[in-house]
């Protein structure tokens, strides 16, 4: 499990969504107040759901098809999170006070990249197993 490259990619995605989302601000208001994911219930719930799916995917290494499907679901979930952030930043002025975007809004995009790399490695493993089964 640990020696596979997709496990490394999934651990990086877990760290991005589970740890760094608490340390990097999502945005900074016009009064220079940093807003973190913890203060936004929608953002923190989507981040934690993504972490949960990544952990389940990490430990279901014997079932590569399930791991691949969970990766796709996780990518879709992170796209939803990016959409929520885009909605918040493009919202009508006065409803949400976002003067400067933080690096926390980029975390789901980085997570999408690492989950896609993990899915590519999972697909490669599945193709290798299928080719070995063909030889028997």
């Amino acid at each position: 499990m640990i020696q596979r490259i997709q496990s490394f990619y999934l651990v990086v995605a877990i760290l991005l969504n589970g740890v760094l989302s608490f340390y990097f601000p999502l945005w900074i208001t016009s009064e220079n107040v940093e807003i973190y994911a913890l203060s936004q219930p929608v953002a923190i719930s989507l981040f934690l759901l993504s972490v949960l799916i990544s952990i389940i995917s990490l430990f279901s290494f014997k079932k590569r098809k399930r791991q691949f499907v969970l990766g796709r679901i996780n990518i879709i979930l992170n796209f939803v999170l990016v959409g929520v952030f885009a909605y918040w930043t493009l919202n009508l002025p006065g409803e949400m006070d976002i003067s400067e975007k933080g690096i926390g809004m980029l975390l789901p995009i980085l997570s999408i990249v690492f989950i896609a790399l993990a899915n590519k490695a999972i697909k490669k493993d599945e193709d290798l197993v299928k080719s070995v089964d063909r030889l028997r």
Side-chain angles (χ1 to χ4, degrees):
M1 169 182 104
I2 294 175
Q3 68 271 17
R4 296 167 50 203
I5 190 69
Q6 58 262 37
S7 298
F8 171 73
Y9 292 143
L10 288 171
V11 167
V12 170
I14 290 169
L15 290 176
L16 283 171
N17 285 340
V19 177
L20 295 180
S21 63
F22 295 112
Y23 291 110
F24 291 125
L26 296 177
W27 64 80
I28 301 170
T29 63
S30 60
E31 293 88 26
N32 287 333
V33 176
E34 294 180 340
I35 304 296
Y36 292 92
L38 232 100
S39 63
Q40 301 295 323
V42 173
I44 194 65
S45 62
L46 289 175
F47 272 128
L48 292 180
L49 185 61
S50 175
V51 168
L52 180 68
I53 291 172
S54 293
I55 289 173
I56 292 171
S57 178
L58 180 68
F59 286 113
S60 62
F61 58 92
K62 289 185 179 181
K63 300 174 182 168
R64 286 175 301 279
K65 289 182 182 179
R66 180 195 305 169
Q67 198 175 22
F68 189 75
V69 169
L70 286 173
R72 284 189 174 175
I73 291 170
N74 205 353
I75 288 173
I76 292 170
L77 180 68
N78 279 299
F79 272 123
V80 168
L81 191 56
V82 168
V84 167
F85 289 158
Y87 175 74
W88 282 344
T89 57
L90 299 175
N91 207 359
L92 295 174
E95 292 181 21
M96 275 189 116
D97 188 21
I98 300 173
S99 67
E100 189 176 316
K101 293 156 193 71
I103 196 164
M105 287 194 176
L106 294 177
L107 293 177
I109 296 171
L110 293 173
S111 180
I112 288 169
V113 169
F114 281 106
I115 294 168
L117 287 171
N119 269 1
K120 184 177 177 184
I122 293 165
K123 180 75 171 149
K124 187 177 176 183
D125 278 357
E126 185 66 26
D127 291 343
L128 181 67
V129 168
K130 283 182 181 177
S131 72
V132 169
D133 285 343
R134 244 183 281 139
L135 295 174
R136 288 185 199 183

